[in-house]
Amino acid sequence: MAVTPSTSLLSFLQRLQKTAFEAFGATDFDPKTYVDVPLKFALSVTEDAFQKLPRNANGTVAAEDLKRFLEAYFGGAGDDLVHLNPHDFVREPEGFLPKVKHPKVRAWALQVHSLWKNLTRKVSDAVQAHPDLHTLLPLPGSVVIPGSRFREVYYWDSYWVIRGLIASKMHDTATAIVTNLISLIEQYGFVLNGARLYYTNRSQPPLLSAMIYEIYRTTGDEELVKRSLPALLKEYEFWNSDIHKVTILDAQGCTHTLNRYNAMWDKPRPESFIKDQVFASNFSSVSEKQQFYRDLASAAESGWDFSTRWMRNPPNFTTLATTSVIPVDLNAFVLGMELNIAFFAKVVGDNSTAERFLENADLRKKAMDSVFWNANMNQWLDYWLENKCEEVHVWKNGHQNKNVFASNFVPLWMKPFYSDTSLVASVVESLKTSDLVRAAGVATSLTDSGQQWDFPNGWAPLQHMLVEGLLKSGSQEARSLAEEIAIKWVTTNYIVYKKTGLMHEKLDVEHCGEFGGGGEYVPQTGFGWSNGVVLAFLEEFGWPEDRDIEC
Ligand SMILES: OC[C@H]1O[C@H](O[C@H]2O[C@H](CO)[C@@H](O)[C@H](O)[C@H]2O)[C@H](O)[C@@H](O)[C@@H]1O
């Protein structure tokens, strides 16, 4: 199985992380900080000084000594990404959110819009000059980061950041993000989870073609389409290579090819090294540990890190088996990629590529109908593989995951599904009665596991995909449900912002006006995709003067 080699810089920073954990203790400890800090001197010099630190009998370093060492030998985490004033930012762009009439909501939307200034960064010249001293990867253009501990650009977050930037009329900043992601494909063959050395072993939900589609739809930038197409074809190969590909023989005897998440990593994630090792200590053999680490990193590749969606026996975390799941949403995203590539190929006049990708999309649609669709629940369900090593898996009814997740409705975001009127009617009914739609938005799942991609958390990207899918269907009932969800989501973001002065990464959809929690790090603020989705919803639905905004 493919594994990306580790580097001596990462191995050293992992040792530093462990030493810091022992010296400073668990309270307020964020392991990611210690793999993000830039080195001031060559690795050999830094390692040498680290070796010479005084240690007590059990090998730990005193907190004061470690603090002094950190100050002398490292910059601050995030110092190597410098703030940048986006040149296309204006305080109130012409034509900004024309349907938002309520003065309070409009004033808040302008504040959210102004957050792009806080979140826009450029990789410092120091990284370009000495990449060996940084885990941050050099990028050609400006980026928009999610915020707080997420101080680098992320793949799928960027889609919703771009949707917000488009509402903010910041097309150049949006294009610069795409240019960076394309440069990652050129160098690594795929878009990384994020632009850090420790993310080079995995991707994230593939939405680059959707970003380019949205920018093209707004700007008509054919040049962008032309230079993106080769990179998209390369990315498509990555997702359809052996590690991500699964073949299924369905109940009618037809063979289908679908995709799964599968990170090229079988060690603890450097950014969460200690926690991963503690969980892996439940396994005795090396191969079991390696498989568990691969499944952890693959859950990170899915963007849903972590969730009962990937557990054989939820909520037991050590039963995580992401690579044994064929995920509904991933295949919907790849279907979208196929349609977008076909569209772009037409734009540049490459008709044979367009034809080929329309055929691929058609085959994937059939595969999704056959493997995921559950006509009793009127949802698309993830499929659990019995034995991952089989060349061809024989489809079995009992292997669909009957638990309800927001991802079970993501195919509705894609044209072949939202344009089927009778299908839409049954899916809308299913979503309404699913229990997912709560006081403040759509829940991620119905299981309160303590993991962040589960109940009661609601995430901006999930709200947006469902709302947009419902809207695009054109059905009146679907539109009403879309508007109901969007109003709930905007309201809870507004109230939380008024209470805390911040935009949050995830929200508690059971309680309007509360932010979310759970998972392996403290709740983060900033926050790229939340800002993007609020602006996109306000652009679409507006906010009338006579509608109060309260929980
Ligand atoms: O450090 C732990 C994990 O954090 C990231 O995941 C979460 O934040 C991302 C940025 O907003 C988001 O894209 C992802 O959906 C979140 O779950 C990171 O992507 C993981 O790889 C990392 O292990």
Side-chain angles (χ1 to χ4, degrees), residues 209-361:
S209 72
M211 299 178 209
I212 297 162
Y213 181 81
E214 290 302 328
I215 297 175
Y216 176 73
R217 209 164 59 98
T218 320
T219 63
D221 185 349
E222 271 187 35
E223 195 41 50
L224 172 67
V225 170
K226 216 181 235 163
R227 73 184 158 86
S228 306
L229 195 53
L232 290 174
L233 293 171
K234 207 164 174 187
E235 188 191 28
Y236 186 75
E237 260 173 48
F238 167 77
W239 283 103
N240 288 285
S241 66
D242 281 347
I243 56 166
H244 289 113
K245 209 165 68 178
V246 185
T247 307
I248 303 257
L249 183 70
D250 74 10
Q252 282 69 46
C254 299
T255 306
H256 304 283
T257 305
L258 287 166
N259 304 107
R260 63 172 159 167
Y261 292 108
N262 197 353
M264 296 168 286
W265 196 242
D266 60 5
K267 291 177 268 300
R269 291 164 302 149
E271 73 279 18
S272 298
F273 194 83
I274 303 161
K275 276 191 185 152
D276 287 6
Q277 257 188 346
V278 169
F279 279 113
S281 64
N282 287 287
F283 301 98
S284 43
S285 76
V286 172
S287 64
E288 281 174 322
K289 280 188 206 289
Q290 286 177 336
Q291 185 54 51
F292 179 67
Y293 289 139
R294 191 182 291 277
D295 284 312
L296 275 173
S298 303
E301 184 169 67
S302 80
W304 283 51
D305 44 323
F306 294 99
S307 169
T308 50
R309 228 185 128 186
W310 314 121
M311 298 175 200
R312 269 195 197 282
N313 297 316
N316 181 346
F317 193 70
T318 58
T319 69
L320 208 71
T322 320
T323 55
S324 296
V325 179
I326 314 184
V328 164
D329 47 357
L330 171 60
N331 285 283
F333 299 144
V334 180
L335 171 65
M337 195 197 296
E338 287 162 342
L339 293 170
N340 290 332
I341 290 178
F343 176 77
F344 298 148
K346 270 230 167 82
V347 170
V348 304
D350 179 352
N351 290 335
S352 68
T353 302
E355 285 302 310
R356 181 157 62 89
F357 275 84
L358 284 178
E359 273 164 32
N360 292 353

Side-chain angles (χ1 to χ4, degrees), residues 32 146 149-150 154 156-157 193 199 202 204 269 271-272 300-301 303-306 452-453 459 505 520-521 527 529:
K32 186 173 180 295
R149 79 194 286 270
F150 298 118
Y154 280 78
W156 77 320
D157 298 54
N193 180 153
Y199 287 145
R202 58 180 181 263
Q204 255 196 337
R269 291 164 302 149
E271 73 279 18
S272 298
E301 184 169 67
W304 283 51
D305 44 323
F306 294 99
Q452 62 170 354
W453 287 86
W459 291 83
E505 166 203 36
E520 61 173 343
Y521 54 81
F527 198 90
W529 60 21

Side-chain angles (χ1 to χ4, degrees), residues 503-521:
M503 290 295 287
H504 290 252
E505 166 203 36
K506 55 191 178 253
L507 300 169
D508 173 351
V509 293
E510 226 194 346
H511 302 105
C512 181
E514 299 291 335
F515 58 84
E520 61 173 343
Y521 54 81

